[in-house]
Amino acid sequence: MMRKFLGALALTCAAPLASANTVSVCVFDVIGANGDIFNVMKDYALEVRPLGVNLQLKPYTDEGVAVGDFNAGQCDAVAATDLRTRPFNKFTGSISAVGALPTYDNLETLLATLSQPRAANLMKSEGYEVLGIFPVGAGYLFVNDRSINTAGALAGKRMATLDYQKDAIHMVNYVKATVVPSDITNFAGKFNNGSVDTAYAPAFAYEALELYKGITPDGGVVEYPLAQLTVQLIARDGVLDGDTAQKAREAAWGMYPQVMNLISSQEAAIPDEKWIRIPQQDIIGYQEMFRENRLEMRDGVNNAPSVYDPRMLKLMANIRCASNPGAAECTADDRE
């Protein structure tokens, strides 16, 4: 009882401060106000309220509109996937670089590192500041035919590809598949009605976007993380003072176990027989293919867009090599 009283007292004391620092946030969640991302942001709002920050959340089911309203000054901050927020901070926007974080342990190490005060300067770029980074889950390849289980099998297949995700477009072209321009509001429908053969999404989409329809009866989900997707909270620089912004990032990091429990439940909801396991020797080949593509998209060579920040790629490579020092990439001459 005393603990509850003290907690209530703390919130009461913080309330006057919060009213003086109200921050409006455009929040993208494809499901809207009832979606998991929006609920995570509601929990985050409670976490930062004792800091004197009052987040006013506005749900958007169209990510482009959410970012557009933020750009137009309709919100002080925006919560959206790093695929959309990359223009605001190329460094944190490179977390989703293809194949760069093959395990959740790698992701945990990275996000713990980025939440530290010594990383604060990297959270600012071009007049914007990252106030929090939240995992959405690994991105998996959903296929309508279980025989599509190698890079070679993707040749000629129609792939729903977000038309603003330049790295994904480059990767699809690299494996000689066919880009079918899509956006986050229609890619699931295209996969489910058979307009495309494959789609790329985190596990939550299996039920929330009904991708189980698209893999029925002969498809599945390739059990290899193509990238680690995150939602990032981006504010205009100066919306919060430096100390409060740092504490806000630490609050976001403090929610990591909660968010990962949610992701684990989403992945567990996919029936075991729907997962497509690939041999270890194939995984090694994929990792090298992804690494070559990351280098191209870091340097902007071989018709690749320059979309990845070399500092982030180096940091993630160091994390991978710390967890797997025997990997060939860890002694390669062209290390990231």
Side-chain angles (χ1 to χ4, degrees):
M1 180 68 70
M2 179 60 71
R3 182 178 298 175
K4 290 183 179 179
F5 171 75
L6 291 175
L9 179 62
L11 286 176
T12 300
C13 292
L17 292 174
S19 64
N21 202 356
T22 297
V23 179
S24 59
V25 186
C26 297
V27 180
F28 165 69
D29 189 313
V30 71
I31 306 301
N34 295 319
D36 290 331
I37 292 173
F38 195 81
N39 284 328
V40 166
M41 292 306 302
K42 287 197 294 186
D43 289 344
Y44 174 73
L46 293 176
E47 293 292 329
V48 299
R49 188 171 178 82
L51 302 177
V53 180
N54 180 21
L55 297 185
Q56 294 186 339
L57 309 178
K58 181 180 179 182
Y60 288 75
T61 56
D62 188 312
E63 191 170 30
V65 175
V67 173
D69 278 5
F70 172 63
N71 283 329
Q74 298 298 311
C75 305
D76 302 312
V78 63
T81 65
D82 53 34
L83 308 179
R84 280 285 195 182
T85 63
R86 187 176 290 161
F88 303 116
N89 190 307
K90 188 176 181 180
F91 177 74
T92 59
S94 299
I95 291 174
S96 60
V98 59
L101 293 169
T103 70
Y104 285 132
D105 285 344
N106 292 161
L107 175 65
E108 182 177 8
T109 300
L110 176 67
L111 295 186
T113 301
L114 298 183
S115 70
Q116 296 177 16
R118 64 183 179 180
N121 287 339
L122 295 168
M123 299 300 105
K124 291 188 176 186
S125 178
E126 304 294 331
Y128 299 96
E129 183 167 13
V130 180
L131 299 182
I133 303 174
F134 306 86
V136 177
Y140 298 106
L141 193 65
F142 288 71
V143 298
N144 62 7
D145 183 340
R146 295 182 72 89
S147 67
I148 308 175
N149 59 359
T150 66
L154 288 169
K157 301 300 182 183
R158 300 160 299 170
M159 299 186 68
T161 311
L162 302 182
D163 50 16
Y164 51 83
Q165 193 181 359
K166 295 179 181 179
D167 49 345
I169 293 172
H170 179 72
M171 194 71 213
V172 172
N173 289 331
Y174 184 90
V175 297
K176 296 180 172 56
T178 300
V179 171
V180 178
S182 308
D183 62 42
I184 206 148
T185 64
N186 64 26
F187 82 94
K190 291 181 179 181
F191 180 66
N192 291 339
N193 67 24
S195 299
V196 297
D197 302 301
T198 70
Y200 162 72
F204 90 88
Y206 178 80
E207 289 191 345
L209 301 182
E210 301 183 334
L211 293 191
Y212 57 83
K213 294 180 179 179
I215 65 174
T216 302
D218 301 318
V221 186
V222 179
E223 193 182 34
Y224 183 80
L226 298 179
Q228 296 291 348
L229 304 176
T230 64
V231 160
Q232 300 188 8
L233 179 60
I234 310 290
R236 290 179 182 81
D237 194 9
V239 165
L240 299 182
D241 65 77
D243 182 60
T244 304
Q246 175 57 34
K247 289 178 179 176
R249 287 189 288 272
E250 292 169 1
W253 163 241
M255 293 177 61
Y256 181 84
Q258 167 191 340
V259 178
M260 288 308 300
N261 284 339
L262 175 62
I263 291 169
S264 294
S265 67
Q266 293 166 344
E267 295 189 349
I270 300 177
D272 187 68
E273 67 272 13
K274 297 299 183 182
W275 290 102
I276 301 172
R277 274 84 187 190
I278 54 180
Q280 183 60 36
Q281 60 267 28
D282 289 350
I283 290 176
I284 294 173
Y286 286 140
Q287 289 172 339
E288 178 58 23
M289 178 180 70
F290 292 147
R291 189 180 77 90
E292 291 173 359
N293 272 265
R294 289 195 302 271
L295 292 173
E296 290 182 356
M297 288 184 278
R298 177 193 69 185
D299 301 332
V301 298
N302 297 330
N303 297 317
S306 178
V307 294
Y308 295 152
D309 188 300
R311 299 167 299 174
M312 177 58 78
L313 293 188
K314 183 177 181 180
L315 175 57
M316 293 191 291
N318 288 341
I319 290 171
R320 291 195 304 274
C321 288
S323 64
N324 184 20
E329 68 162 313
C330 301
T331 55
D333 292 335
D334 57 346
R335 282 195 62 184
E336 291 168 84

